[in-house]
Amino acid sequence: MEVIIEQLGTTNNVLERQKLDAHRVRIGRAFSNDVILNDEHVDAVHAQLEFDGEGRLFIEDLGSVNGIRRPRHKGAVGRSEVISGEVFLIGRSRVRIYAGTHPVAPAVRIRASELFLLWLGKPQVTIGLVLLYLAAKIVATWLGTIGEFRWSLVIEQNLGEAMLFVALAVGVYFLSVLFRRGGNFLAHISLLVLLFLFSSLLDAALVVALFNAGDAHYPLLRTFDEGRGYLELLIYLWSVLYLAFHLPLGRRSLISAAVVAVVIGVNSLPEDELTRFIERQSFPMEQRFLPPGLLLRDSLSGQEFGKRVEGLFEDLERERHKALESRDEQLSEVNRDDVVAAEELPELNAGPGLPNS
């Protein structure tokens, strides 16, 4: 009778899979066992799997120190029938047991997005994207420099982003190795470069749009600026959950959307004691000096600019008069209330045997 035994990691990822064709299978730490578990909490001969005459599979504890348990069950297993696909804790090792006839799920077609993420793992793709990213940063620094351009400015203005880049790459790869998911390091590097390049292009487009837009367009650009941050976070999380942890489509989509929803919720909290301890996500809309060639709209003539400035002073004067009138009305109401209160005060204080004057 055939039996398949999988040794699982902490996140139920398969570390090792064995297929055995035997009536009885011994499990333990000794080298004489059919399945060897490298776990100090497992006895030399800890457990055995055995088929009965009707083809049913049973697991039995062979007098071990730490016994056999089912996950989320406190009671120890002495001898119990095994349901194909069931997981047992032998010592501290997680073991999943299948019958040889256990059905498997249908194959999942590789999607275009997944093929693209795998393509990012090619060395030539990674090198090309890194060179393109460096070129984009040099051009952006040159356009934003007033006066003499120095190569040291490229490092000074992008050092923080480079440190974040390295920290993300090493951190995610470390997690993938820790959980034994075998993440593709080059693909992750390429993904980070592509996302940072995408973010830089969006930032450049936003700067040019702000350079050409008027005050009336500021709320729209502000909304776009905030939305693109959430979009980048969603794309990054969705991609990393596939590259580093090999999660299926539904699960990684749900996790990515949930994380972005939490970030949006935190950033939407009112200013109170809680948000003092939480750094709000912000995208400062700062006007930058750009070359005149990037001004896509017609510039104002001196005469028209002067008229607009005069109009601003007139609007300011009108608002000042409104504020003064409103203040005078409030003061009049306060004085009137004080007079009425002063007139009613002697009558209120007058009592039996007390003069009113």
Side-chain angles (χ1 to χ4, degrees):
M1 303 291 288
E2 293 181 341
V3 60
I4 293 89
I5 300 177
E6 294 180 341
Q7 298 182 38
L8 307 177
T10 54
T11 58
N12 282 339
N13 55 306
V14 179
L15 305 179
E16 186 177 348
R17 180 182 289 123
Q18 294 177 265
K19 181 178 180 181
L20 303 169
D21 187 2
H23 176 73
R24 181 182 293 108
V25 175
R26 290 291 181 94
I27 303 173
R29 195 155 40 90
F31 298 147
S32 58
N33 291 285
D34 301 299
V35 177
I36 302 172
L37 300 179
N38 185 22
D39 179 359
E40 62 181 1
H41 303 285
V42 173
D43 284 46
V45 182
H46 194 111
Q48 73 175 9
L49 296 170
E50 185 176 12
F51 288 95
D52 65 1
E54 300 177 359
R56 295 180 301 175
L57 180 62
F58 288 83
I59 187 169
E60 182 180 358
D61 181 25
L62 300 178
S64 63
V65 173
N66 295 300
I68 303 172
R69 292 180 294 110
R70 289 182 170 90
R72 296 181 295 276
H73 288 76
K74 294 183 180 180
V77 175
R79 176 180 171 84
S80 176
E81 184 177 357
V82 177
I83 300 174
S84 183
E86 197 169 7
V87 177
F88 294 91
L89 293 175
I90 300 178
R92 294 190 62 182
S93 300
R94 301 173 67 89
V95 175
R96 182 187 285 133
I97 302 171
Y98 289 108
T101 57
H102 191 92
V104 297
V108 177
R109 185 178 298 276
I110 300 177
R111 297 172 177 83
S113 59
E114 296 170 346
L115 286 175
F116 174 71
L117 291 174
L118 295 175
W119 174 77
L120 291 177
K122 296 182 178 180
Q124 59 269 29
V125 175
T126 304
I127 294 174
L129 287 174
V130 169
L131 293 177
L132 182 61
Y133 177 76
L134 292 176
K137 285 300 178 182
I138 293 172
V139 172
T141 305
W142 175 74
L143 289 175
T145 301
I146 300 175
E148 181 183 359
F149 171 78
R150 302 190 312 273
W151 287 102
S152 59
L153 290 175
V154 179
I155 299 177
E156 293 174 5
Q157 296 182 11
N158 300 287
L159 180 60
E161 188 172 294
M163 294 177 64
L164 176 63
F165 180 92
V166 174
L168 283 174
V170 174
V172 172
Y173 185 71
F174 173 77
L175 288 175
S176 66
V177 173
L178 179 65
F179 290 102
R180 302 187 183 184
R181 294 293 189 178
N184 190 326
F185 185 68
L186 283 181
H188 186 223
I189 291 291
S190 299
L191 173 65
L192 279 173
V193 172
L194 198 60
L195 282 176
F196 274 78
L197 182 60
F198 176 66
S199 177
S200 299
L201 292 176
L202 286 181
D203 183 64
L206 187 65
V207 169
V208 174
L210 187 61
F211 184 64
N212 288 272
D215 294 339
H217 301 92
Y218 185 89
L220 178 62
L221 294 177
R222 177 76 177 183
T223 302
F224 169 77
D225 195 18
E226 292 178 351
R228 62 115 183 195
Y230 298 128
L231 176 62
E232 292 167 6
L233 178 61
L234 179 67
I235 295 174
Y236 177 69
L237 289 175
W238 190 90
S239 303
V240 165
L241 290 174
Y242 175 75
L243 285 176
F245 303 102
H246 306 298
L247 294 184
L249 175 64
R251 187 178 301 177
R252 65 176 181 265
S253 300
L254 180 61
I255 294 175
S256 303
V259 172
V260 173
V262 169
V263 173
I264 293 175
V266 170
N267 290 337
S268 302
L269 290 175
E271 293 290 347
D272 54 13
E273 295 296 331
L274 175 62
T275 53
R276 292 182 182 180
F277 300 96
I278 301 176
E279 183 179 359
R280 291 178 60 84
Q281 185 178 359
S282 61
F283 302 90
M285 302 282 289
E286 299 177 357
Q287 183 66 268
R288 303 181 192 177
F289 292 102
L290 297 178
L294 294 178
L295 186 61
L296 305 179
R297 63 175 184 172
D298 296 333
S299 58
L300 297 177
S301 63
Q303 184 178 4
E304 187 176 356
F305 180 76
K307 290 181 179 180
R308 291 196 178 187
V309 171
E310 292 177 0
L312 290 176
F313 281 108
E314 293 175 359
D315 293 341
L316 180 61
E317 187 66 19
R318 282 195 297 269
E319 293 298 327
R320 188 177 74 86
H321 282 297
K322 290 180 181 179
L324 290 175
E325 291 174 359
S326 176
R327 186 197 63 178
D328 292 340
E329 291 177 0
Q330 293 177 0
L331 289 176
S332 298
E333 293 178 0
V334 171
N335 292 335
R336 186 167 53 252
D337 293 340
D338 291 342
V339 171
V340 173
E343 292 176 351
E344 296 177 352
L345 185 60
E347 297 180 0
L348 295 174
N349 290 334
L354 294 176
N356 292 334
S357 58

